[in-house]
Amino acid sequence: MTSTLDSLNFLRRPLPSNSSVLSGIGIGSSSSTASSILYGASTEEKIIIDIGTHSLRAGFSGDYAPIHSSTLKTKFTFSSSGIITRTVGHTLHNTVVESEEELEMRLVEHFRDVYRRDLLVDARTRKVAIVESALAPVRLRLAVARVLLGNLRVPQLSFYPASVAALMTCGSVQAGLVIDCGHRTVSVTPVYEARALPPYATSTPLAGLALFDNLRGLLQNYARFIPASGKGDDVQCQDLLSDSVVTHVMTKMLLASPIALPEKMRANLGVVGRNECVLSDELVSFYESSSTCTGTATRLTIDTERCGRGLLLFPSWIRERAAEPLFSGDPAADHQSIPDAVVQCIGRVPVDTRRALIANVLVVGGVADLPGFRHRLLHDIVARLHRDSRWSALAADAALADESQAFAPSDRSWIGTSLAVAAKIGTVELSRDDFDGCTLPDWTAISQ
């Protein structure tokens, strides 16, 4: 059964471009690659799993992109009495997990679906490489290890630091600042000589969730809903916006404005909808005058539970200014911006590493997929360095690590780990027989 699944798996994956399996038609490759295609995957091939607070990516080592990429969801709801009921579409990242058993049950559900529907292999036949952040909670790491080694009976786990793996996608670059723009947190991790330096890392909660909340608040305050039936007047969108509509606007219609906000206007900025934050008339006027979008209004047809189908009409400046708190901070909640977190990280690292780190700024994560986000962030980092006399000398050296953007920012950590495993770069490993269920090696462990 395992060999059959392996064969099916390779039938659905692209063939290497330099294979000589069919030498008669001019497609050349090594004998090991030929054997892999004819008889199934090599046992040395590993499953790469990148699990975050919002999404899960999985695939095979050596591939250029993950096979599976989805939002973390669960089909179970847990009550205080311990009764488990089955539901649909309940997001995992918005759920408070109260026990380790609950967390492990949710992870078992996700991993089994990934193996059964996408990877099409027996979990007991493939080693697994985990892409992990140095700041990942120990509780989550233990739960993942218990599920994979104990429940799914994976033979071995390997742990690869996400920041180092992401930097590997830039080629020979061995030093840089990796800015991971995740769903709940943006972390800035320095990497020097291909080693992550977690003690100097900084973070800010202004990440994907803050972007989602700010977009929802802006739409609720400034958008109008026009019913398709034509009956009734236009209505405000206070209770009409579902999570799916806001997510669609965030992933398909947003971009980062290339024009930075003036310093004097940042004091009144914040995440709209949080801490009773509202935009001043002066700020709205600046957004309207500096908008680079075509047209003053954006239209989107949506379905609502209360009013049925209709037209969502909102100002176009919302599309490029929804991410503004990530660049300018949230003074009301005392949350620093991403550029401030970068400068704070630069101040922590050793003096002789600063110039090499700021010269290679790598922006990864799902939020970084926004058009214009990376270049706007670099612009604000340079401006922030210029404002402080201690770091102004470093402003001229600030640059993005990969101008070509060969890979999607959200996939870089997974792709880097795939390259590392294919190149047989060793790291911390844990076999099924050695795992006691309680302890795991972390970033302080040194692989022999």
Side-chain angles (χ1 to χ4, degrees), residues 363-444:
V363 188
V364 301
V367 179
D369 286 336
L370 260 64
F373 184 89
R374 297 163 60 250
H375 291 89
R376 167 65 190 280
L377 181 58
L378 178 65
H379 176 272
D380 285 15
I381 291 174
V382 172
R384 179 65 178 82
L385 292 171
H386 274 301
R387 288 201 302 267
D388 196 326
S389 59
R390 296 174 298 173
W391 320 119
S392 58
L394 298 174
D397 296 313
L400 295 175
D402 186 11
E403 291 285 355
S404 64
Q405 200 172 357
F407 305 108
S410 55
D411 290 338
R412 275 193 179 271
S413 296
W414 188 96
I415 295 172
T417 304
S418 176
L419 293 173
V421 173
K424 301 187 185 304
I425 298 177
T427 184
V428 179
E429 297 180 346
L430 181 66
S431 65
R432 181 173 58 204
D433 297 333
D434 295 336
F435 181 54
D436 59 4
C438 299
T439 57
L440 277 178
D442 59 11
W443 57 266
T444 61

Side-chain angles (χ1 to χ4, degrees), residues 65-81:
I67 293 177
H68 171 86
S69 180
S70 66
T71 301
L72 287 173
K73 291 186 177 181
T74 181
K75 300 176 183 177
F76 296 100
T77 300
F78 296 81
S79 63
S80 57
S81 60

Side-chain angles (χ1 to χ4, degrees), residues 324-340:
E324 199 62 38
L326 278 64
F327 302 113
S328 303
D330 186 359
D334 197 22
H335 292 157
Q336 65 178 351
S337 64
I338 301 178
D340 288 338

Side-chain angles (χ1 to χ4, degrees), residues 9-156:
N9 173 46
F10 267 83
L11 286 175
R12 65 192 298 272
R13 295 168 61 196
L15 293 175
S17 59
N18 59 345
S19 154
S20 82
V21 178
L22 302 177
S23 56
I25 58 175
I27 306 178
S29 171
S30 63
S31 59
S32 60
T33 305
S35 301
S36 176
I37 296 176
L38 292 175
Y39 302 109
S42 169
T43 56
E44 296 182 359
E45 188 178 49
K46 291 185 179 181
I47 303 296
I48 312 295
I49 296 179
D50 182 4
I51 180 171
T53 56
H54 183 262
S55 61
L56 174 70
R57 292 174 174 82
F60 294 91
S61 61
D63 284 0
Y64 60 86
I67 293 177
H68 171 86
S69 180
S70 66
T71 301
L72 287 173
K73 291 186 177 181
T74 181
K75 300 176 183 177
F76 296 100
T77 300
F78 296 81
S79 63
S80 57
S81 60
I83 301 176
I84 303 176
T85 57
R86 193 171 184 85
T87 59
V88 178
H90 190 65
T91 56
L92 176 61
H93 66 276
N94 288 332
T95 305
V96 177
V97 180
E98 299 180 353
S99 64
E100 294 184 2
E101 292 78 7
E102 177 182 346
L103 175 61
E104 292 176 14
M105 187 172 295
R106 295 177 187 271
L107 291 175
V108 166
E109 175 193 357
H110 285 286
F111 287 147
R112 286 190 179 276
D113 283 346
V114 170
Y115 273 97
R116 182 176 64 251
R117 298 180 181 179
D118 296 282
L119 300 180
L120 302 178
V121 296
D122 187 352
R124 295 171 295 182
T125 63
R126 293 290 184 274
K127 298 178 182 179
V128 173
I130 301 294
V131 187
E132 63 163 3
S133 169
L135 305 179
V138 176
R139 181 185 179 188
L140 176 61
R141 299 173 74 249
L142 280 173
V144 171
R146 290 195 188 105
V147 168
L148 291 175
L149 295 174
N151 190 291
L152 299 182
R153 307 297 293 170
V154 169
Q156 186 185 76

Side-chain angles (χ1 to χ4, degrees), residues 228-354:
S229 60
K231 299 179 180 179
D233 299 329
D234 300 353
V235 297
Q236 295 292 327
C237 299
Q238 295 293 337
D239 303 320
L240 298 179
L241 295 174
S242 62
D243 289 351
S244 60
V245 172
V246 180
T247 301
H248 175 80
V249 176
M250 185 175 71
T251 56
K252 303 295 184 182
M253 306 180 71
L254 292 192
L255 67 153
S257 174
I259 303 175
L261 194 66
E263 188 66 26
K264 63 180 182 179
M265 294 185 180
R266 300 190 179 192
N268 299 325
L269 188 65
V271 178
V272 177
R274 293 184 181 179
N275 302 316
E276 301 180 354
C277 178
V278 294
L279 299 183
S280 63
D281 294 338
E282 180 185 14
L283 192 58
V284 173
S285 177
F286 175 81
Y287 285 165
E288 292 175 347
S289 61
S290 63
S291 176
T292 60
C293 294
T294 303
T296 59
T298 300
R299 296 169 175 82
L300 177 67
T301 302
I302 63 173
D303 292 316
T304 64
E305 295 182 359
R306 194 177 71 184
C307 300
R309 173 164 291 191
L311 189 66
L312 181 67
L313 188 67
F314 59 92
S316 295
W317 59 262
I318 291 180
R319 295 175 51 201
E320 57 180 346
R321 292 296 180 175
E324 199 62 38
L326 278 64
F327 302 113
S328 303
D330 186 359
D334 197 22
H335 292 157
Q336 65 178 351
S337 64
I338 301 178
D340 288 338
V342 172
V343 174
Q344 183 184 20
C345 179
I346 289 294
R348 290 182 178 182
V349 298
V351 177
D352 59 334
T353 65
R354 291 171 181 170

